[in-house]
Amino acid sequence: MAPRPSITGFDPRKFAAASANGTKNDPWARYEAWRYTGPFTRFNRFKGSFPGLGIATVAFAGYLVVEQFYFKDEHAHHDE
């Protein structure tokens, strides 16, 4: 007994076989590939998100060190 053909013409086995290869069967794959390569990688897109953050962090850390060693408040009476 042969299986009955689908009324709609949809064959789930053909659909699964077509989607199994991923982007191999995708006609737009090579047109979309540029979005994720070269200057458009995730790292390169977010690299300039916080300009000056590194310099500001080093300057603030330097300020804290200088304040700790050179600007001690010796006139404060906290233990009275």
Side-chain angles (χ1 to χ4, degrees):
M1 182 177 238
R4 294 184 343 186
S6 174
I7 297 172
T8 62
F10 179 75
D11 186 7
R13 280 180 253 142
K14 286 184 182 178
F15 180 73
S19 64
N21 294 335
T23 59
K24 184 177 179 183
N25 294 330
D26 186 8
W28 294 100
R30 78 180 164 120
Y31 297 113
E32 294 290 321
W34 67 269
R35 294 179 186 236
Y36 309 107
T37 59
F40 302 108
T41 59
R42 181 171 292 166
F43 174 74
N44 285 336
R45 283 184 287 162
F46 295 114
K47 184 169 54 174
S49 295
F50 301 105
L53 180 64
I55 293 170
T57 304
V58 170
F60 183 67
Y63 168 76
L64 291 177
V65 168
V66 168
E67 183 182 21
Q68 184 68 29
F69 290 118
Y70 293 110
F71 300 122
K72 289 185 179 180
D73 190 11
E74 297 172 2
H75 299 291
H77 303 286
H78 295 290
D79 296 333
E80 287 186 338

